[in-house]
Amino acid sequence: MVMLAEKMRQKLLSGSSSQVAATNDEEMGSKEEMQDWLLSVGIVSPVTKESAGALYHQQLSRQLADFVKVPLERAGGIMNLIDIYCLFNRARGTELISPDDLLRACSLWEKFNVPVMLKKFESGVMVIQNKSHSDEEVFSRIRSLVQKPDTLKSGVSATDAARTLGIAPAMAKEHLLAAESKGFLCRDVSPDGFRFFINIFQDIDPNDAYLVKEYGVYDSWIRAAIPSRSQFVSA
């Protein structure tokens, strides 16, 4: 089992396009199947307080950083801390850790050169994400999404954003709320749930709210919401 786990891990991390790799792919299945097997096998030598002593949290932190690579890759680069806690304890078998141990291990990542980080949203939700998963890139993709003609009229839901970002709807909702706090979006709350729209208030002249300049987000929203305006402007 140890040899199988290591073989799958190396296969996932390295990858290959050679003929030998193609044969291995036939034997071991798709990449997604290998990820499932790797998570099911668990951690071969989980760090414990008995084995690590005073260095327990440091070693646990490094082991956790190595473990989350595969789950994060499958989840689009970001996962809820609770989900990571469940997956990590499942992989450790009987050597379970406490939520406090997990938090302390994550907090030590700032001292180590690891490609993952712990983040806390303004809502209080804590997540683990790849360092390459930048907020600026996410906000840029969200703004592109909400400025499409259809979404200018109807807005976007957390599910819509999740499809675009390739992450779970719960995580997409946190990004939408963060974008709202930055002033990029406005929120509409109805019995159907939350929907987010591009913030057009920044383009509105407070001295003349009815003045619509023929450029900018406000003009794009008017053209999408009132098709006859486009005909009127062109005329």
Side-chain angles (χ1 to χ4, degrees):
M1 293 297 288
V2 173
M3 292 177 63
L4 175 61
E6 287 301 316
K7 185 177 181 181
M8 288 190 293
R9 182 175 180 276
Q10 292 301 323
K11 179 65 178 177
L12 287 172
L13 295 178
S14 62
S16 174
S17 60
S18 64
Q19 205 167 23
V20 176
T23 304
N24 289 338
D25 286 341
E26 294 178 0
E27 295 176 352
M28 301 182 68
S30 67
K31 184 176 182 180
E32 290 75 14
E33 290 174 336
M34 286 191 289
Q35 289 173 337
D36 289 335
W37 292 341
L38 186 57
L39 291 176
S40 299
V41 169
I43 299 173
V44 177
S45 301
V47 174
T48 64
K49 292 182 179 179
E50 291 75 17
S51 63
L55 298 177
Y56 170 64
H57 287 103
Q58 288 90 330
Q59 293 185 16
L60 181 66
S61 178
R62 294 184 183 278
Q63 188 172 72
L64 177 61
D66 185 61
F67 170 80
V68 299
K69 292 177 182 178
V70 172
L72 284 178
E73 181 182 350
R74 300 183 64 189
I78 183 171
M79 284 187 69
N80 193 305
L81 186 62
I82 296 175
D83 295 334
I84 291 292
Y85 177 71
C86 295
L87 287 174
F88 192 53
N89 263 340
R90 174 190 172 191
R92 289 175 62 87
T94 59
E95 301 292 344
L96 305 180
I97 65 171
S98 67
D100 183 62
D101 286 336
L102 183 75
L103 280 175
R104 290 184 63 180
C106 293
S107 65
L108 291 174
W109 284 341
E110 296 179 0
K111 300 180 180 179
F112 304 140
N113 185 23
V114 295
V116 293
M117 60 181 287
L118 177 67
K119 176 180 177 179
K120 185 175 183 179
F121 286 99
E122 292 184 5
S123 63
V125 173
M126 302 182 74
V127 300
I128 291 177
Q129 67 178 43
N130 290 324
K131 287 183 177 178
S132 59
H133 189 88
S134 67
D135 290 342
E136 290 73 18
E137 180 184 353
V138 171
F139 290 156
S140 176
R141 295 174 67 182
I142 289 176
R143 293 186 70 172
S144 297
L145 173 64
V146 296
Q147 291 187 68
K148 292 181 178 180
D150 292 340
T151 54
L152 279 171
K153 293 187 295 183
S154 60
V156 299
S157 65
T159 302
D160 298 329
R163 294 193 189 100
T164 298
L165 300 175
I167 59 178
M171 297 295 94
K173 181 180 177 182
E174 294 299 328
H175 281 304
L176 289 171
L177 291 172
E180 179 194 29
S181 69
K182 296 290 185 181
F184 301 148
L185 304 178
C186 292
R187 185 197 333 169
D188 178 65
V189 182
S190 70
D192 296 330
F194 290 0
R195 295 198 74 81
F196 293 83
F197 297 80
I198 189 70
N199 182 9
I200 64 174
F201 291 103
Q202 298 174 350
D203 283 9
I204 297 178
D205 186 348
N207 298 319
D208 190 352
Y210 296 99
L211 175 64
V212 182
K213 300 177 182 178
E214 294 186 13
Y215 59 86
V217 176
Y218 189 21
D219 178 63
S220 299
W221 179 81
I222 291 291
R223 291 175 182 273
I226 310 175
S228 59
R229 172 174 167 78
S230 299
Q231 301 173 2
F232 174 78
V233 171
S234 60

